[in-house]
């Protein structure tokens, strides 16, 4: 540490604080992110006596800034003079732990947890633990919520009297009248149980667990299920039956689907935590009920856990697909394709192929998409041709789905499909779709379609491009709609490299140059951008004789954006 | 959602000078591919429905029995109506479903017209029947990315019964014979809590009924009022900070609007806290557009009650001002105008500086709808009068933005509006206007110089960090 406070007097704190107060949020944020630099310039002493009090006092700011501050302070121990002085960081972090915005608060708690480790046992009791108590008895729910995350880090390192106090505080928060606080306590219950002595787990934690698991709000109850995993791991086998299982059984039959969902979702962990005996007697029947649950969400969560179970249990469940609704189907669709590699060719054709075919016709687009997106697994086992007849209608329909995200997803699989189905099939059936996407009304789709063309050309080669794609793309340059005309330019940007110098110079360039006279400024400045983009592909002669004059003309355009991009292109391209 | 919209066409300034063309309008129509989605319905998430068919023994009509037997029969009918049917199975129990429907209808009429039916024993039975029917865990939302603005809501399948139960309950609460002092034993905190959870229903028809029910309960049960407000608080806080999902925010705000209206003066600390810590943060939620009108109404109600709250409210809005979402920015500007419409001049003075710094940023937004919305303030006579009174403070804040965009903005309509604003300022305070015009250049240079100094400062600081980092490892946290 010696020498750390050398020439800091050069930097008056006022100047630095001005930076932290700048009116522009972005600048303020940048300054906060470099807080360590400021602290370094001030030296440890002035950081403690001047910078930290300033930060503590001016905590009212944009959440973005506070978040950065909360994160910085977690790494500040050395900058305030090492572990000996680490408690100086507590006041600003304490205020941050009380703000409303969850991400800020969580970050402050994370930093507090981190620096708690750097406190000596004495400091922990003198400085840190009182802070936890203050937060735990705060007026507004935010501070109490934050306190929940701090008990477990100080508990193991304090005296037994303080330990008793901490347990009492935790107990109080578990029955707080704000559900937000009870949720926070429930979510930390497992973690807190882990640091408690076994006797207290049995006496304190179990009663809290039971109470939270029968809370009036399902959002609290479901968190208790999560805690159940940790608690069950801590208890000896013989106590599980009496202390944990009644609550768990009740959770598996809770009237709220969210709680049952949680049981289904945590099934593997629970199974591990309670051991094979209880699993066989209790959990498996419960699991079977969850697979038949009246709520699709629950069944889907359970179905997701099917993978990895033995095959003979699995197949009957897979047949569930016919009876259940889209969530289950789409969850299963995403796992069953992977099963083909496990089942082998014959089993796949016998058991799975009919399902794939049925699912490709499913009314729900996500189901179809999940099948198509996992096609490569099946392709390895039985070859995609088996599916191609059913595949096509499914693809066509997805390509025209009303939701643009679905269309986007199918576009992304086009190169994969093209590769597996071959160029002939593609030209015959899919090419029209790919071209239709270019004039979709959603920009993201047009963009993806452009990118898709590039990948197809990489796959099928320049000659194929010249015959099938390029003429159509260039044809759109005369479209009355300026967005279509721009799409031509975007395609050219994407394709020029894959198509090579010949096609770019002879076919694409003339079209681009002609568009420099377009009446819409957006088109003209995209011409400038395109020229910059395809310049490297062109030969020098074309650059000097054809591109240069056009860019010079655009550089004196009346629209300032056109001018800007033309000038940029001129400065980037090697024009004489 | 945003991506679902075509890009608006950009600068047409040069296109406008040539012939008018098709490009003047956006080439893509919205209707295109979107297919009308089928309305689906959904049943409540009842855990494990019974397998056996339901049998109810038909009872005589109330009007067909002597008056003294009616209360007894009324109770029996209430008990029968506790039976809940599975409406997802459209074929099961058809006869009994119809029977329950007609019984409910009869009950609705009965509570509306009859007198003397409400015995003390009837209260628990009514509440029990209503609870059995309406309280249920709401089913999961059908699509993960349910967009309430675009997608059709999922409708409650059991509505044919549910509607009548709500109807019956409202008539019961509104009945002249209804006595809150007896009912409060049954309509308690737990009942209200469950009722509030139902506001998350996706079915707008149900939320509409719930709104009326809660309003009546709030009106009649004084002892529940504080509890109801607190629970609404909790719902909103959870919505803002935890889930961002709750379907009934607009309805709850609508009720609150009328509640706030009735607050006594001076406002209690609890109410002020609600305004600052709950209503203001509600502005940060992504789906603001769904309840913004109701929210803005509540805010203005508060300010009309107590004008001294203007400063914290406006500061709150400025703190949460949208950084990237232009649609939201337009909503904020709209709300701010509503606030300015009722602002007291003394309050205006307190807040004008930060406020107009933000307005000046909005005016120079490249998104023309934001700029336009902000510039419309100058068409508002009351706001204009406030600006005029304080032009010596506001003009210097606004000037550089206005001056710059009058030369640079891509949208000719904005430029025209800005000229009008500049003209208005010139008329208001020509001396100051001339001074600012004269010093515009030197001010910019001063700003640039300051900018450069900042850069140098940081460069020096970074050099120092580097030097020290080399000198003693471990000082700089990584």
């Amino acid at each position: 540490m010696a020498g750390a406070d050398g020439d800091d007097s050069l930097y008056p704190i006022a100047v630095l604080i001005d930076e932290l107060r700048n009116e522009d949020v972005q600048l303020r944020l940048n300054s906060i992110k470099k807080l360590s630099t400021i602290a370094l310039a001030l030296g440890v002493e002035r950081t403690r006596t001047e910078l930290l009090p300033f930060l503590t006092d001016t905590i009212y700011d944009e959440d973005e800034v506070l978040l950065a501050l909360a994160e910085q302070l977690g790494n500040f121990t050395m900058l305030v003079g090492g572990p000996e002085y680490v408690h100086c960081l507590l006041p600003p972090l304490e205020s941050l732990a009380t703000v409303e915005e969850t991400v800020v608060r969580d970050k402050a708690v994370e930093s507090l947890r981190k620096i708690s480790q750097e406190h000596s046992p004495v400091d922990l009791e003198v400085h840190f633990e009182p802070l936890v108590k203050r937060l735990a008895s705060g007026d507004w729910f935010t501070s109490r919520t934050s306190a929940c995350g701090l008990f477990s880090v100080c508990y193991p390192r304090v005296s037994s009297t303080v330990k008793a106090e901490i347990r009492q505080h935790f107990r109080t928060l578990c029955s707080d009248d704000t559900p937000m606080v009870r949720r926070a306590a429930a979510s930390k219950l497992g973690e807190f149980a882990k640091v408690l002595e076994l006797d207290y787990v049995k006496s304190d934690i179990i009663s809290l667990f039971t109470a939270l698991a029968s809370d009036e709000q399902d959002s609290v109850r479901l968190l208790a299920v999560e805690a159940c995993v940790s608690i069950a791991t801590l208890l000896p086998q013989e106590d599980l039956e009496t202390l944990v299982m009644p609550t768990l059984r009740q959770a598996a039959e809770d009237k709220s689907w969210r709680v049952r969902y949680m049981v289904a979702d945590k099934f593997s962990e629970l199974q591990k935590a309670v051991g094979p005996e209880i699993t066989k007697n209790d959990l498996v029947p419960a699991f079977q009920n969850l697979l038949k649950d009246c709520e699709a969400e629950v069944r889907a969560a359970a179905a997701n856990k099917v993978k990895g179970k033995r095959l003979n249990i699995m197949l009957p469940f897979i047949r569930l697909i016919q009876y259940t609704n889209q969530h289950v189907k789409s969850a299963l669709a995403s796992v069953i394709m992977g099963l083909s590699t496990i089942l082998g060719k014959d089993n796949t054709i016998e058991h799975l192929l009919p399902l794939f075919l049925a699912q490709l016709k499913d009314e729900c687009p996500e189901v179809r998409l999940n099948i198509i997106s996992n096609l490569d697994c099946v392709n390895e086992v039985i070859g995609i041709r088996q599916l191609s007849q059913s595949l096509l209608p499914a693809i066509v329909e997805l390509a025209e789905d009303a939701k643009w995200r679905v269309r986007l997803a199918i576009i992304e699989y086009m190169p994969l499909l093209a590769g597996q189905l071959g160029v002939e099939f593609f030209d015959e059936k899919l090419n029209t779709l790919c071209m239709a996407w270019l004039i979709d009304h959603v920009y993201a789709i047009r963009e993806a379609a452009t990118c898709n063309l590039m990948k197809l050309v990489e796959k099928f080669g320049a000659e194929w491009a010249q015959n099938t794609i390029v003429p159509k793309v260039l044809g759109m340059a005369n479209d009355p709609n300026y967005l279509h005309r721009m799409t031509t330019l975007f395609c050219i940007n994407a394709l020029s490299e894959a198509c090579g110098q010949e096609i770019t110079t002879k076919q694409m360039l003339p079209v681009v140059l002609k568009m420099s006279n377009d009446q819409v400024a957006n088109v003209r400045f995209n011409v400038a951008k395109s020229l910059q983009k395809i310049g490297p592909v062109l030969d020098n002669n074309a650059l000097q004789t054809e591109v240069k004059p056009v860019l010079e003309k655009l550089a004196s355009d009346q629209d300032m954006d056109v001018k800007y991009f033309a000038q940029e292109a001129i400065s980037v391209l090697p024009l004489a | 959602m945003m991506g679902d919209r075509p890009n608006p066409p950009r600068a047409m300034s040069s296109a406008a000078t040539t012939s008018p063309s098709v490009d003047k309008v956006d080439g893509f129509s919205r209707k295109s591919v979107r297919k009308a989605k089928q309305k689906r319905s959904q049943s409540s998430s009842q855990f494990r429905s019974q397998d056996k068919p339901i049998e109810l023994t038909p009872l005589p009509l109330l009007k067909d029995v002597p008056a003294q037997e009616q209360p007894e029969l009324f109770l029996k009918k209430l008990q029968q109506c506790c039976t809940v049917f599975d409406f997802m199975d459209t074929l099961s129990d058809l006869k009994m479903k119809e029977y329950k429907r007609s019984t409910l209808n009869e009950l609705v009429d009965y509570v509306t017209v009859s007198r003397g039916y409400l015995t003390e024993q009837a209260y628990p039975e009514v509440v029990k029947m209503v609870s059995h029917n309406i309280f249920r865990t709401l089913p999961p939302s059908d699509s993960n990315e349910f967009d309430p603005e675009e997608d059709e809501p999922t409708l409650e399948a059991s509505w044919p019964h549910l509607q009548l139960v709500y109807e019956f309950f409202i008539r019961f609460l509104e009945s002249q014979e209804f006595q809150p002092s007896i009912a409060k034993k049954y309509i308690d905190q737990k009942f209200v809590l469950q009722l509030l959870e139902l506001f998350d229903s996706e079915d707008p028809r149900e939320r509409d009924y719930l709104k009326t029910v809660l309003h009546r309960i709030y009106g009649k049960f004084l002892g529940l009022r504080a509890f109801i407000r607190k629970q609404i608080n909790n719902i909103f806080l959870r919505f803002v900070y935890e889930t961002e999902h709750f379907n009934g925010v607009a309805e709850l705000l609508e009720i609150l609007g009328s509640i706030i209206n009735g607050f006594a003066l001076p406002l209690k600390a609890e109410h002020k806290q609600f305004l600052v810590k709950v209503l203001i943060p509600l502005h940060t939620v992504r789906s603001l557009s769904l309840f913004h009108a109701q929210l803005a109404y509540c805010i203005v109600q508060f300010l009309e009650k107590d004008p001294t709250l203007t400063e914290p409210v406006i500061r709150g809005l400025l703190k949460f001002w949208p950084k990237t979402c232009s649609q939201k920015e337009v909503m904020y500007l709209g709300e701010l105008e509503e606030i300015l419409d009722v602002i007291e001049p003394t309050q205006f003075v307190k807040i004008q500086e930060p406020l107009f710094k933000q307005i000046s940023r909005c005016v120079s937004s490249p998104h023309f709808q934001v700029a336009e919305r902000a510039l419309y303030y100058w068409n508002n006579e009351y706001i204009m009068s406030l600006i005029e009174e304080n032009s010596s403070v506001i003009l210097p804040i606004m000037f550089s933005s206005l001056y710059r965009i009058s030369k640079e903005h891509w949208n000719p309509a904005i430029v025209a509006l800005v000229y009008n604003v500049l003209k208005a300022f010139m008329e208001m305070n020509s001396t100051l206007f001339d001074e600012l015009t004269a010093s515009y250049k030197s001010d910019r240079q001063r700003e640039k110089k300051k900018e450069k100094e900042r850069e140098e400062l940081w460069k020096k600081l970074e050099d120092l960090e580097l030097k020290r980092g080399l000198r003693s490892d471990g000082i700089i946290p990584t």
Side-chain angles (χ1 to χ4, degrees):
Chain A
M1 288 314 297
D5 15 13
D7 42 357
D8 45 70
S9 51
L10 284 174
Y11 300 97
I13 181 132
V15 177
L16 298 173
I17 282 179
D18 256 5
E19 284 299 291
L20 294 171
R21 266 197 200 130
N22 198 302
E23 234 170 65
D24 186 329
V25 192
Q26 193 53 50
L27 293 179
R28 222 153 59 221
L29 188 57
N30 291 346
S31 311
I32 282 282
K33 284 186 173 157
K34 292 185 202 149
L35 197 61
S36 59
T37 311
I38 294 181
L40 205 60
L42 289 171
V44 293
E45 176 134 8
R46 295 183 63 198
T47 297
R48 287 198 301 266
T49 55
E50 294 174 49
L51 183 60
L52 287 177
F54 164 75
L55 292 174
T56 316
D57 290 342
T58 53
I59 222 84
Y60 184 87
D61 202 337
E62 304 258 351
D63 292 326
E64 199 80 16
V65 177
L66 298 184
L67 175 67
L69 178 59
E71 184 168 12
Q72 288 279 314
L73 292 177
N75 298 318
F76 244 55
T77 310
M78 292 316 281
L79 292 164
V80 292
E84 207 182 322
Y85 295 100
V86 66
H87 59 83
C88 299
L89 298 172
L90 297 179
L93 282 172
E94 181 173 352
S95 326
L96 289 169
T98 63
V99 304
E100 267 80 18
E101 179 49 53
T102 330
V103 280
V104 176
R105 221 162 55 218
D106 288 350
K107 191 53 90 179
V109 170
E110 193 185 313
S111 289
L112 280 169
R113 286 167 70 109
K114 203 160 162 188
I115 64 169
S116 74
Q117 304 306 323
E118 283 151 355
H119 282 72
S120 68
V122 176
D123 281 350
L124 203 65
E125 281 196 25
V126 177
H127 299 288
F128 197 89
E129 204 269 339
L131 170 145
V132 179
K133 271 196 260 180
R134 276 196 303 277
L135 288 177
S137 42
D139 280 340
W140 189 238
F141 78 97
T142 50
S143 72
R144 304 200 296 279
T145 312
S146 293
C148 293
L150 296 173
F151 295 121
S152 66
V153 289
C154 46
Y155 190 83
R157 298 173 60 210
V158 293
S159 67
S160 56
T161 21
V162 180
K163 276 185 176 172
E165 283 173 26
I166 291 180
R167 286 197 305 275
Q168 180 52 46
H169 277 295
F170 191 78
R171 218 175 296 141
T172 316
L173 294 183
C174 282
S175 54
D176 198 280
D177 72 327
T178 328
M180 283 76 83
V181 178
R182 293 203 303 281
R183 277 196 288 278
S187 69
K188 299 294 177 196
L189 183 65
E191 174 190 296
F192 189 55
K194 281 187 191 156
V195 299
L196 245 58
E197 297 79 356
L198 184 60
D199 282 345
Y200 291 121
V201 173
K202 287 190 197 172
S203 60
D204 283 30
I205 295 291
I206 293 297
S207 65
L208 295 175
F209 167 64
T210 318
L212 291 168
S214 45
D215 195 275
E216 62 192 10
Q217 304 238 336
D218 59 359
S219 54
V220 179
R221 296 202 297 277
L222 66 88
L223 290 167
V225 174
E226 266 192 303
C228 186
V229 177
S230 320
I231 295 171
T233 331
L234 296 170
L235 293 172
Q237 192 69 32
E238 64 269 20
D239 290 332
L240 284 176
E241 182 52 49
T242 50
L243 297 181
V244 174
M245 286 317 291
T247 311
L248 184 55
R249 257 179 239 129
Q250 173 197 321
E253 304 205 329
D254 196 282
K255 69 178 193 308
S256 163
W257 62 271
R258 291 184 188 86
V259 179
R260 303 197 302 277
Y261 173 92
M262 198 50 125
V263 177
D265 195 50
K266 294 279 161 219
F267 191 77
S268 310
E269 289 92 331
L270 286 168
Q271 191 189 339
K272 221 177 280 168
V274 298
E277 193 62 22
I278 295 181
T279 300
K280 204 176 84 195
N281 297 337
D282 256 290
L283 288 192
V284 169
F287 185 68
Q288 281 168 342
N289 280 335
L290 292 171
L291 274 168
K292 289 185 271 180
D293 197 279
C294 66
E295 220 46 86
E297 241 80 1
V298 179
R299 297 196 297 273
N304 268 325
K305 306 285 154 188
V306 164
K307 209 180 184 181
K309 297 263 170 315
R310 274 168 319 197
L311 274 183
N312 52 354
I313 321 182
M314 198 165 62
L315 284 174
F317 290 139
I318 292 171
R319 299 211 182 92
L320 274 175
I321 300 166
Q322 280 112 334
Y323 310 107
T324 50
N325 92 337
Q326 57 153 319
H327 293 280
V328 192
K329 282 189 289 195
S330 100
L332 272 170
S334 64
V335 287
I336 65 168
M337 295 303 274
L339 292 178
S340 57
T341 40
I342 311 169
L343 287 171
K345 188 170 179 178
D346 293 340
N347 269 327
T348 301
I349 291 177
E350 189 189 338
H351 293 292
L352 295 183
L353 193 57
L355 286 175
F356 296 158
L357 296 176
Q359 294 201 311
L360 278 172
K361 295 195 194 100
D362 197 279
E363 57 177 18
C364 163
E366 278 106 71
V367 175
R368 279 174 273 144
L369 205 58
N370 273 339
I371 290 289
I372 290 175
S373 60
N374 289 302
L375 270 180
D376 45 340
C377 313
V378 190
N379 194 30
E380 280 169 30
V381 184
I382 57 168
I384 205 166
R385 287 273 164 189
Q386 295 259 23
L387 286 174
S388 59
Q389 281 316 307
S390 314
L391 212 46
L392 193 65
I395 294 172
V396 172
E397 212 176 301
L398 287 172
E400 291 162 356
D401 195 277
K403 284 203 155 93
W404 67 270
R405 282 175 215 281
V406 173
R407 301 201 295 280
L408 185 64
I410 189 72
I411 293 177
E412 279 162 5
Y413 292 111
M414 269 297 145
L416 174 82
L417 287 168
Q420 298 188 337
L421 293 166
V423 68
E424 259 171 63
F425 187 89
F426 183 85
D427 280 347
E428 195 182 315
K429 316 270 189 196
L430 300 179
N431 196 16
T432 9
L433 287 180
C434 290
M435 301 314 288
W437 283 322
L438 289 175
I439 52 168
D440 197 283
H441 72 292
V442 174
Y443 177 74
I445 299 297
R446 302 199 295 276
E447 192 185 27
T450 319
C451 179
N452 173 43
L453 286 188
M454 179 181 76
K455 288 185 186 148
L456 291 174
V457 174
E458 282 167 1
K459 220 160 219 138
F460 295 152
E463 200 186 321
W464 174 81
Q466 193 174 8
N467 295 329
T468 47
I469 295 186
V470 173
K472 287 186 193 164
V473 165
L474 296 182
M476 283 162 59
N478 299 318
D479 198 287
N481 186 321
Y482 82 101
L483 292 168
H484 293 186
R485 300 204 293 278
M486 294 214 297
T487 307
T488 298
L489 292 170
F490 298 148
C491 287
I492 289 174
N493 295 348
L495 295 177
S496 64
E497 205 169 314
C499 286
Q501 197 181 60
E502 168 102 19
I503 299 177
T504 308
T505 316
K506 294 242 169 77
Q507 302 191 3
M508 296 178 175
L509 182 62
V511 175
V512 178
L513 295 175
K514 202 175 136 223
M515 291 170 85
S516 69
N517 297 317
D518 200 289
Q519 56 179 344
V520 177
N522 301 44
V523 178
R524 294 201 303 280
F525 77 64
N526 272 297
V527 166
K529 283 163 109 176
S530 285
L531 288 173
Q532 181 180 340
K533 182 88 207 288
I534 66 173
V537 188
L538 300 169
D539 64 53
N540 193 42
N541 185 34
L543 267 183
Q544 306 306 335
T545 60
E546 298 184 63
V547 174
K548 194 178 165 192
V550 168
L551 281 176
E552 279 167 352
K553 186 187 71 187
L554 291 174
S556 56
D557 197 280
Q558 51 175 310
D559 184 279
M560 69 174 190
D561 291 329
V562 178
K563 259 191 239 173
Y564 173 84
F565 286 108
Q567 277 157 3
E568 189 181 74
I570 291 173
S571 69
V572 170
L573 290 172
L575 301 172
Chain B
M1 227 227 62
M2 293 264 304
D4 226 347
R5 303 238 153 89
N7 298 352
R10 204 198 117 270
M12 294 298 156
S13 53
S14 51
T17 57
T18 55
S19 64
S21 77
V22 277
D23 281 320
K24 294 228 80 177
V25 286
D26 183 357
F28 292 98
S29 63
R30 274 290 275 145
K31 56 179 192 316
S32 63
V33 272
R34 204 174 171 89
K35 295 171 192 157
K37 203 171 140 194
Q38 235 187 332
K39 269 197 187 181
R40 259 172 322 198
S41 58
Q42 183 160 47
S43 85
S44 39
S45 178
Q46 305 280 10
F47 186 46
R48 277 187 209 137
S49 50
Q50 66 298 317
D51 303 322
K52 280 181 287 180
I54 297 167
E55 273 308 322
L56 298 175
T57 325
L59 298 168
L61 292 179
L62 284 158
K63 67 173 164 59
D64 292 345
V65 300
Q68 69 273 24
E69 287 173 30
Q70 283 184 5
E72 172 96 33
L73 185 58
F74 178 62
L75 293 186
K76 276 194 185 147
K77 292 203 173 222
L78 284 172
Q79 281 154 7
Q80 275 194 335
C81 286
C82 285
T83 317
V84 178
F85 291 89
D86 179 5
F87 272 82
M88 284 315 271
D89 186 346
T90 45
L91 297 175
S92 71
D93 306 310
L94 282 180
K95 249 189 175 157
M96 287 300 122
K97 279 179 189 164
E98 175 52 28
Y99 171 71
K100 177 171 169 185
R101 201 191 59 78
S102 64
T103 307
L104 283 169
N105 254 327
E106 191 195 0
L107 292 177
V108 172
D109 291 343
Y110 187 70
V111 290
T112 320
V113 295
S114 309
R115 294 283 167 269
Y117 72 95
L118 258 186
T119 59
E120 219 164 296
Q121 297 96 300
Y123 285 86
E125 294 302 326
V126 167
V127 174
K128 195 172 131 204
M129 191 279 277
V130 171
S131 306
H132 270 272
N133 279 281
I134 67 171
F135 294 153
R136 63 214 193 274
T137 308
L138 293 169
S141 183
D142 210 40
S143 62
N144 299 335
E145 38 176 311
F146 175 71
D147 176 355
E149 269 190 327
E150 298 257 331
D151 297 335
E152 289 287 344
T154 316
L155 299 177
E156 175 60 51
S158 61
W159 192 242
H161 284 177
L162 210 51
Q163 177 180 19
L164 292 171
V165 174
Y166 277 117
E167 196 68 54
F168 167 78
F169 191 42
I170 290 170
R171 306 277 176 103
F172 167 75
L173 290 170
E174 288 173 349
S175 153
Q176 285 179 339
E177 297 187 7
F178 178 77
Q179 292 181 48
S181 54
I182 303 174
K184 74 177 182 196
K185 270 185 272 178
Y186 312 103
I187 296 178
D188 54 4
Q189 296 195 348
K190 190 159 185 261
F191 183 92
V192 168
L193 197 61
Q194 287 172 288
L195 195 71
L196 284 168
E197 277 173 14
L198 289 177
F199 275 83
D200 194 20
S201 169
E202 236 178 75
D203 194 329
R205 301 169 302 182
E206 178 166 22
R207 295 202 303 271
D208 207 47
Y209 270 107
L210 284 165
K211 200 169 65 187
T212 315
V213 170
L214 186 65
H215 198 258
R216 297 291 174 275
I217 292 181
Y218 191 89
K220 292 190 193 276
F221 297 86
L222 303 187
L224 286 172
R225 288 186 176 179
F227 181 79
I228 291 174
R229 289 197 306 268
K230 197 164 127 198
Q231 294 310 319
I232 294 180
N233 255 337
N234 287 343
I235 288 175
F236 284 169
L237 288 168
R238 180 168 185 224
F239 172 65
V240 174
Y241 294 114
E242 294 183 16
T243 60
E244 289 224 346
H245 179 91
F246 193 83
N247 290 314
V249 177
E251 282 82 1
L252 290 176
L253 283 169
E254 215 173 299
I255 297 172
L256 282 167
S258 63
I259 292 178
I260 295 165
N261 212 333
F263 281 163
L265 286 173
L267 288 178
K268 285 191 210 159
E270 173 212 328
H271 301 324
K272 291 185 188 170
Q273 188 182 52
F274 172 67
L275 170 68
V276 175
K277 297 220 170 194
V278 183
L279 288 185
I280 298 291
L282 266 177
H283 287 85
T284 62
V285 176
R286 206 176 29 184
S287 55
L288 177 67
S289 63
L290 296 174
F291 54 84
H292 182 250
Q294 291 83 350
L295 179 58
Y297 178 78
C298 286
I299 301 276
V300 173
Q301 288 290 306
F302 261 115
L303 298 186
E304 289 199 284
K305 282 261 160 200
D306 183 354
T308 62
L309 292 168
T310 313
E311 189 182 348
V313 164
I314 293 184
R315 282 197 189 275
L317 288 177
L318 294 176
K319 180 180 169 188
F320 294 130
W321 202 271
K323 303 283 185 299
T324 56
C325 182
S326 312
Q327 276 106 326
K328 262 173 99 174
E329 226 176 329
V330 173
M331 286 184 249
Y332 273 54
L333 284 165
E335 180 171 346
L336 212 47
E337 182 163 4
E338 284 182 51
I339 294 173
L340 289 174
D341 272 332
V342 299
I343 200 168
E344 287 187 358
T346 48
Q347 298 298 321
F348 181 82
V349 175
K350 284 189 200 161
I351 197 70
Q352 56 182 350
E353 278 187 57
L355 177 63
F356 276 85
K357 277 180 187 161
Q358 181 57 53
I359 293 176
S360 132
R361 277 193 287 272
C362 292
V363 161
S364 45
S365 167
H367 196 295
F368 81 96
Q369 287 172 330
V370 175
E372 188 180 57
R373 187 67 192 81
L375 288 164
Y376 280 165
Y377 283 10
W378 274 263
N379 295 340
N380 181 314
E381 269 178 41
Y382 183 59
I383 299 180
M384 264 305 260
S385 72
L386 291 167
I387 293 176
E388 190 159 7
E389 266 166 54
N390 300 284
S391 64
S392 59
V393 181
I394 294 171
L395 182 51
I397 299 174
M398 296 295 300
F399 185 78
S400 71
S401 296
L402 292 172
Y403 193 81
R404 191 166 46 77
I405 47 175
S406 73
K407 302 210 178 309
E408 286 180 6
H409 206 283
W410 63 268
N411 186 309
I414 297 297
V415 174
L417 282 170
V418 166
Y419 271 122
N420 286 337
V421 171
L422 280 172
K423 205 168 131 244
F425 271 130
M426 200 154 50
E427 284 159 9
M428 260 176 222
N429 195 337
S430 60
T431 343
L432 181 58
F433 191 90
D434 290 344
E435 275 170 31
L436 288 166
T437 321
S439 66
Y440 180 78
K441 262 212 175 117
S442 55
D443 283 347
R444 292 297 78 72
Q445 274 162 356
R446 204 175 317 125
E447 265 171 37
K448 277 202 183 121
K449 197 171 152 238
K450 225 175 146 191
E451 178 66 21
K452 228 171 148 197
E453 282 170 4
R454 287 193 58 249
E455 270 169 34
E456 275 164 22
L457 169 73
W458 280 104
K459 217 170 150 294
K460 270 194 222 155
L461 285 173
E462 269 150 34
D463 288 347
L464 177 81
E465 180 173 330
L466 218 59
K467 217 165 68 195
R468 290 211 177 147
L470 288 175
R471 264 213 315 246
S472 51
D473 284 340
I475 287 188
I476 300 148
T478 45

